[in-house]
Amino acid sequence: MPTGIGYFSMEFGVAEVLPNYSGGLGILAGDHLKSASDLGLPLIGVGLYYRSGYFRQSLTADGWQHETYPSLDPQGLPLRLLTGAGAAPTLVELALPDSRQLRARVWIAQVGRIPLLLLDSDIPENEHELRNVTDRLYGGDQEHRIKQELLAGIGGVRAIRAYTAVEGRPAPDVFHMNEGHAGFLGVERIREFMTADKLDFDTALTVVRSSTVFTTHTPVPAGIDRFPVEMVQRYFGDDSAAGLLPGVPAQRVLAFGAEDDATKFNMAHMGLRLAQRANGVSLLHGRVSRTMFEELWPGFDPAEVPIGSITNGVHAPTWAAPVWLEL
């Protein structure tokens, strides 16, 4: 068994009181944490803390949907801050273009025996625009979205490092991406191996792939996050000495997200290229995914594409009455 697992997701549907979810992806992730707690798995969840969560829905008198985004005070939720020496909040930082820094504090939701780390950019240390990076789940334009995904992936790995150091817990040696949103975590881990262990890029990539799992949820191409290549290149710099991850060649990063459209960077493709194991969430979805992504394995028939399937389950104590569980 691994010493620890880092489980990354943009949503976690743990309980109604913590509205960090919109649908099935989040409910699966929340149930995953609860089941891991029941089984005693050494897992750490990682996501973002959204100040307004997902929208609240109501209907107008003439039947149209109306959305509101209530502001959520983390002090009134079942969360605690990750703090360091002197009880000061522990911050993770990302270097952005134009010499700016994106900083985030880390809230911890304790899901049974499993800690869920949620990164929050709404802090005084950030300028106004950057405070809004974690404002809403699935809100904003592509520029807003890529900042969220950079914070979730790269900042999430750094949050785990901070958490395990402060709490004295073993660091995860397996990383699981629940959909491609946190795909940049693999690039951050490559940087870690290149910096700390002095590995070359290809060796670091091999080590990262051997300990990374990717779960794809989206059965249609339109649901995959795709960013303009020039946008991604702007964050990672034009050479290996600049950008978000100094020392990591930008062109190698861009190659992870390459697809048929040379102007687009595909987050699902990056997740698949950075993971040694990949799966869909049902037998049928596994078959659909093998066809959707067969271009990544040229020369393979769809049935031979190495994407398996693990059918979604639920955390029975959450969804079933005790009498049914006993039965």
Coordinates of all heavy atoms in Angstrom, one line a residue, residues 125-166:
E125 N -3.3 39.4 1.2 CA -2.0 39.4 0.5 C -2.1 39.4 -1.0 O -1.1 39.6 -1.7 CB -1.2 38.1 0.9 CG -0.8 38.1 2.4 CD -1.9 37.7 3.4 OE1 -3.0 37.5 2.9 OE2 -1.6 37.6 4.6
N126 N -3.3 39.2 -1.6 CA -3.4 39.3 -3.0 C -4.0 40.6 -3.5 O -4.8 41.2 -2.7 CB -4.4 38.1 -3.5 CG -3.7 36.8 -3.6 OD1 -2.5 36.7 -3.8 ND2 -4.5 35.7 -3.3
E127 N -3.7 41.0 -4.7 CA -4.3 42.2 -5.3 C -5.8 41.8 -5.6 O -6.1 40.6 -5.6 CB -3.6 42.7 -6.5 CG -3.4 41.7 -7.6 CD -2.6 42.2 -8.7 OE1 -1.4 42.3 -8.6 OE2 -3.3 42.5 -9.8
H128 N -6.6 42.8 -5.9 CA -8.1 42.6 -6.0 C -8.4 41.5 -7.0 O -9.2 40.6 -6.7 CB -8.8 43.9 -6.3 CG -10.2 43.8 -6.5 ND1 -11.1 43.6 -5.5 CD2 -11.0 43.7 -7.6 CE1 -12.3 43.4 -5.9 NE2 -12.3 43.6 -7.2
E129 N -7.8 41.6 -8.2 CA -8.2 40.6 -9.2 C -7.9 39.2 -8.8 O -8.7 38.3 -9.0 CB -7.5 40.9 -10.5 CG -7.7 39.9 -11.6 CD -6.6 39.8 -12.6 OE1 -5.7 40.7 -12.6 OE2 -6.6 38.8 -13.4
L130 N -6.8 39.0 -8.1 CA -6.4 37.7 -7.7 C -7.1 37.2 -6.5 O -7.2 35.9 -6.3 CB -4.8 37.6 -7.5 CG -3.9 38.0 -8.7 CD1 -2.5 37.9 -8.3 CD2 -4.3 37.0 -9.8
R131 N -7.7 38.1 -5.7 CA -8.5 37.6 -4.6 C -9.8 36.9 -5.2 O -10.3 36.0 -4.5 CB -9.0 38.8 -3.8 CG -7.8 39.4 -3.0 CD -8.3 40.5 -2.0 NE -9.1 39.9 -0.9 CZ -9.2 40.5 0.3 NH1 -8.6 41.7 0.5 NH2 -10.0 39.9 1.2
N132 N -10.2 37.2 -6.4 CA -11.4 36.6 -7.0 C -11.1 35.3 -7.7 O -12.1 34.7 -8.3 CB -12.0 37.6 -7.9 CG -12.6 38.8 -7.2 OD1 -13.0 38.7 -6.1 ND2 -12.6 39.9 -7.9
V133 N -9.9 34.8 -7.7 CA -9.6 33.5 -8.4 C -10.5 32.4 -7.9 O -11.1 31.6 -8.7 CB -8.1 33.2 -8.3 CG1 -7.9 31.7 -8.8 CG2 -7.3 34.1 -9.2
T134 N -10.7 32.3 -6.6 CA -11.5 31.2 -6.1 C -12.9 31.7 -5.7 O -13.5 31.2 -4.7 CB -10.8 30.5 -4.9 OG1 -10.6 31.5 -3.9 CG2 -9.5 29.9 -5.2
D135 N -13.5 32.6 -6.5 CA -14.8 33.1 -6.1 C -15.9 32.2 -6.3 O -16.8 32.0 -5.5 CB -15.1 34.5 -6.8 CG -15.0 34.3 -8.4 OD1 -14.6 33.3 -8.9 OD2 -15.2 35.3 -9.1
R136 N -16.0 31.5 -7.5 CA -17.1 30.6 -7.8 C -16.6 29.4 -8.5 O -15.6 29.3 -9.2 CB -18.1 31.3 -8.8 CG -18.7 32.6 -8.3 CD -19.6 33.3 -9.3 NE -20.2 34.5 -8.8 CZ -21.0 35.3 -9.6 NH1 -21.2 34.9 -10.9 NH2 -21.5 36.3 -9.1
L137 N -17.4 28.3 -8.3 CA -17.2 27.1 -9.0 C -17.7 27.2 -10.4 O -18.9 27.5 -10.6 CB -17.9 25.9 -8.3 CG -17.9 24.6 -8.9 CD1 -16.5 24.0 -9.2 CD2 -18.7 23.6 -8.1
Y138 N -16.8 26.9 -11.4 CA -17.2 27.0 -12.9 C -17.8 28.3 -13.3 O -18.8 28.4 -14.0 CB -18.2 25.9 -13.2 CG -17.8 24.5 -12.9 CD1 -18.6 23.5 -12.3 CD2 -16.4 24.1 -13.0 CE1 -18.2 22.2 -12.0 CE2 -16.0 22.9 -12.7 CZ -16.9 21.9 -12.2 OH -16.4 20.7 -11.9
G139 N -17.1 29.4 -12.8 CA -17.5 30.7 -13.2 C -16.4 31.4 -13.9 O -15.2 31.0 -13.9
G140 N -16.7 32.5 -14.6 CA -15.6 33.3 -15.2 C -15.2 32.9 -16.6 O -15.7 31.9 -17.1
D141 N -14.3 33.6 -17.2 CA -13.8 33.3 -18.5 C -12.6 32.4 -18.5 O -12.3 31.9 -17.4 CB -13.4 34.6 -19.3 CG -12.4 35.5 -18.5 OD1 -11.7 34.9 -17.6 OD2 -12.2 36.6 -18.8
Q142 N -12.0 32.2 -19.6 CA -10.9 31.2 -19.7 C -9.7 31.6 -18.9 O -9.0 30.8 -18.3 CB -10.5 30.9 -21.1 CG -11.5 30.0 -21.9 CD -10.9 29.3 -23.1 OE1 -10.4 30.0 -24.0 NE2 -10.9 28.0 -23.2
E143 N -9.4 32.9 -18.9 CA -8.3 33.4 -18.1 C -8.5 33.1 -16.6 O -7.6 32.7 -15.9 CB -8.1 35.0 -18.3 CG -6.8 35.5 -17.8 CD -5.7 35.2 -18.8 OE1 -5.7 35.4 -20.0 OE2 -4.7 34.6 -18.2
H144 N -9.7 33.3 -16.1 CA -10.1 33.0 -14.8 C -10.0 31.5 -14.5 O -9.4 31.1 -13.5 CB -11.5 33.5 -14.5 CG -12.0 33.4 -13.1 ND1 -12.7 32.3 -12.7 CD2 -11.9 34.2 -12.0 CE1 -13.0 32.4 -11.4 NE2 -12.5 33.6 -11.0
R145 N -10.4 30.8 -15.5 CA -10.4 29.3 -15.3 C -9.0 28.7 -15.2 O -8.7 27.8 -14.4 CB -11.2 28.7 -16.5 CG -11.3 27.2 -16.5 CD -12.4 26.8 -15.5 NE -12.7 25.4 -15.7 CZ -13.3 24.7 -14.9 NH1 -13.8 25.2 -13.8 NH2 -13.6 23.4 -15.1
I146 N -8.1 29.2 -16.1 CA -6.8 28.7 -16.1 C -6.1 29.0 -14.7 O -5.3 28.2 -14.2 CB -5.9 29.1 -17.3 CG1 -4.7 28.2 -17.4 CG2 -5.5 30.6 -17.2 CD1 -3.9 28.4 -18.7
K147 N -6.4 30.2 -14.2 CA -5.8 30.5 -12.9 C -6.3 29.5 -11.8 O -5.5 29.1 -10.9 CB -6.1 31.9 -12.5 CG -5.4 33.0 -13.3 CD -5.6 34.4 -12.7 CE -4.9 35.5 -13.4 NZ -5.4 35.8 -14.7
Q148 N -7.6 29.2 -11.9 CA -8.1 28.2 -10.9 C -7.4 26.9 -11.1 O -7.1 26.2 -10.1 CB -9.6 28.1 -11.1 CG -10.5 29.2 -10.6 CD -11.9 28.9 -10.6 OE1 -12.4 28.0 -11.4 NE2 -12.7 29.5 -9.8
E149 N -7.2 26.5 -12.3 CA -6.6 25.1 -12.5 C -5.1 25.1 -12.2 O -4.6 24.1 -11.7 CB -6.9 24.7 -13.9 CG -8.4 24.6 -14.1 CD -8.9 23.8 -15.4 OE1 -8.0 23.3 -16.1 OE2 -10.1 23.7 -15.6
L150 N -4.4 26.2 -12.4 CA -3.0 26.3 -12.0 C -2.9 26.3 -10.5 O -2.1 25.6 -9.9 CB -2.4 27.6 -12.5 CG -2.1 27.6 -14.0 CD1 -1.9 29.1 -14.5 CD2 -1.0 26.7 -14.4
L151 N -3.9 27.0 -9.8 CA -3.8 27.0 -8.3 C -4.2 25.6 -7.8 O -3.6 25.1 -6.8 CB -4.8 28.0 -7.8 CG -4.9 28.2 -6.3 CD1 -3.5 28.5 -5.7 CD2 -6.0 29.2 -5.9
A152 N -5.2 24.9 -8.4 CA -5.6 23.6 -7.9 C -4.5 22.6 -8.1 O -4.2 21.8 -7.2 CB -6.8 23.1 -8.7
G153 N -3.8 22.6 -9.3 CA -2.8 21.6 -9.6 C -1.5 21.9 -8.9 O -1.0 21.1 -8.0
I154 N -0.9 23.0 -9.3 CA 0.5 23.4 -8.7 C 0.3 23.8 -7.3 O 1.1 23.3 -6.4 CB 1.1 24.5 -9.6 CG1 1.3 24.0 -11.0 CG2 2.4 25.0 -9.0 CD1 1.7 25.1 -12.0
G155 N -0.6 24.7 -7.0 CA -0.8 25.1 -5.6 C -1.3 23.9 -4.7 O -0.9 23.9 -3.5
G156 N -2.0 23.0 -5.3 CA -2.5 21.9 -4.5 C -1.3 21.0 -4.0 O -1.3 20.5 -2.9
V157 N -0.4 20.7 -4.9 CA 0.8 19.9 -4.5 C 1.6 20.7 -3.4 O 2.0 20.1 -2.4 CB 1.7 19.7 -5.7 CG1 3.0 19.0 -5.3 CG2 1.0 18.8 -6.8
R158 N 1.7 22.0 -3.6 CA 2.4 22.8 -2.5 C 1.7 22.8 -1.2 O 2.3 22.8 -0.1 CB 2.7 24.2 -3.1 CG 3.6 24.2 -4.3 CD 3.9 25.5 -4.9 NE 4.7 25.3 -6.1 CZ 5.0 26.3 -6.9 NH1 4.6 27.6 -6.7 NH2 5.8 26.1 -8.0
A159 N 0.3 22.8 -1.3 CA -0.5 22.7 -0.1 C -0.3 21.4 0.7 O -0.2 21.4 1.9 CB -2.0 22.9 -0.4
I160 N -0.2 20.3 -0.1 CA 0.1 19.0 0.5 C 1.5 19.0 1.2 O 1.6 18.5 2.3 CB 0.0 17.9 -0.5 CG1 -1.4 17.6 -0.9 CG2 0.8 16.6 -0.1 CD1 -1.6 16.4 -1.9
R161 N 2.5 19.6 0.5 CA 3.8 19.7 1.1 C 3.7 20.4 2.4 O 4.4 20.1 3.4 CB 4.8 20.3 0.2 CG 4.9 19.6 -1.2 CD 5.3 18.2 -1.1 NE 5.4 17.6 -2.4 CZ 5.1 16.3 -2.7 NH1 4.6 15.5 -1.8 NH2 5.3 15.8 -3.9
A162 N 3.0 21.6 2.4 CA 2.9 22.4 3.7 C 2.2 21.6 4.7 O 2.6 21.6 5.9 CB 2.2 23.7 3.3
Y163 N 1.1 21.0 4.4 CA 0.3 20.3 5.4 C 1.0 19.1 6.0 O 1.0 18.9 7.2 CB -1.0 19.7 4.7 CG -1.8 18.8 5.6 CD1 -2.7 19.3 6.6 CD2 -1.7 17.4 5.4 CE1 -3.4 18.4 7.4 CE2 -2.5 16.6 6.2 CZ -3.3 17.1 7.2 OH -4.0 16.2 8.0
T164 N 1.7 18.3 5.2 CA 2.4 17.2 5.8 C 3.6 17.6 6.6 O 3.9 17.0 7.6 CB 2.9 16.2 4.6 OG1 3.7 17.0 3.7 CG2 1.8 15.6 3.9
A165 N 4.2 18.8 6.3 CA 5.3 19.3 7.1 C 4.8 19.8 8.5 O 5.3 19.5 9.5 CB 6.0 20.4 6.4
V166 N 3.7 20.5 8.4 CA 3.1 21.1 9.7 C 2.5 20.0 10.6 O 2.7 20.0 11.8 CB 2.0 22.1 9.3 CG1 1.3 22.5 10.6 CG2 2.7 23.4 8.7

